[in-house]
Amino acid sequence: MKFIQRTVLVGLLSCLTLVAGCSTSVDGNTYKQVSPTFNIEEFFAGNVRAWGIVQNRSGEVVQRFVVDIEGKNEGGTLTLDETFTYGVGEGPKTRTWKIVKQADGTYVGNAGDIDGPATGSSYGNAFNFHYNMDLPVDDTTYAVTFDDWFWAFDDSAMMNRSYIRKFGVVMAEVTIFMQKQS
């Protein structure tokens, strides 16, 4: 009987470890004192070029892309016009974000293919956007959640890492390098 109980316990612990490993979580407070401070309005003022990949749960690269971003800040609204070119896979050709800083220092963003508003917060050199999206993949659409993190390297370069979750489990990850253009 003890053997069966141990086997069940080991099995449960293995499952919990596996699920915990699939549910990556970033604590923004870790970055509050890290420099340089990331200012989303300043970084995206003008033209930015981005290079990225999307990896599925197995680590396979299912998309590779370049994004040209034109940013404008008018009347307290940051508008990001994104144009995508794919080397591997397919996805949206364009996306326009409208992002507004709130009185409490948080951000609210909207884009045509985002389900409801994105909510954003700054943490020193990091910025986090959280939003829902109906993500088309092949002939199916999945309701997923994006946990989207940006980390500044300096005034002209940053990394972006997005964790795409379904039922709280990371199903895919996006890695993007962004650089301001002259």
Side-chain angles (χ1 to χ4, degrees):
M1 185 63 136
K2 284 187 177 186
F3 174 75
I4 294 173
Q5 289 174 333
R6 275 192 211 146
T7 304
V8 170
L9 180 61
V10 168
L12 285 173
L13 289 174
S14 297
C15 287
L16 289 174
T17 301
L18 177 64
V19 170
C22 293
S23 60
T24 303
S25 181
V26 177
D27 181 1
N29 292 316
T30 304
Y31 303 98
K32 281 188 172 183
Q33 302 304 316
V34 179
S35 296
T37 300
F38 179 66
N39 182 308
I40 191 170
E41 296 98 341
E42 289 177 14
F43 185 85
F44 285 109
N47 296 320
V48 173
R49 178 160 265 204
W51 300 264
I53 61 171
V54 177
Q55 294 172 277
N56 64 17
R57 286 179 49 181
S58 302
E60 175 188 2
V61 174
V62 294
Q63 281 184 336
R64 187 183 74 230
F65 55 89
V66 175
V67 187
D68 289 304
I69 305 167
E70 182 182 336
K72 297 177 193 149
N73 199 346
E74 298 175 338
T77 299
L78 175 62
T79 301
L80 305 178
D81 286 316
E82 302 175 333
T83 303
F84 295 82
T85 305
Y86 294 87
V88 173
E90 298 178 2
K93 303 291 185 217
T94 62
R95 175 180 293 125
T96 300
W97 280 97
K98 302 278 186 182
I99 302 168
V100 177
K101 188 172 187 176
Q102 305 299 293
D104 66 357
T106 62
Y107 292 80
V108 172
N110 289 285
D113 58 347
I114 303 303
D115 185 18
T119 56
S121 298
S122 289
Y123 301 94
N125 86 320
F127 181 85
N128 177 236
F129 243 161
H130 191 82
Y131 53 92
N132 298 320
M133 176 185 235
D134 291 329
L135 185 65
V137 177
D138 298 324
D139 296 331
T140 306
T141 300
Y142 298 94
V144 297
T145 301
F146 275 73
D147 189 14
D148 206 356
W149 285 91
F150 302 80
W151 289 277
F153 282 103
D154 56 36
D155 291 342
S156 65
M158 68 125 154
M159 287 293 297
N160 171 247
R161 185 85 164 158
S162 297
Y163 303 95
I164 303 171
R165 291 186 173 88
K166 176 88 176 154
F167 302 120
V169 176
V170 175
M171 304 303 288
E173 296 183 27
V174 184
T175 305
I176 305 173
F177 173 78
M178 297 187 192
Q179 188 172 44
K180 288 182 70 69
Q181 304 297 291
S182 310

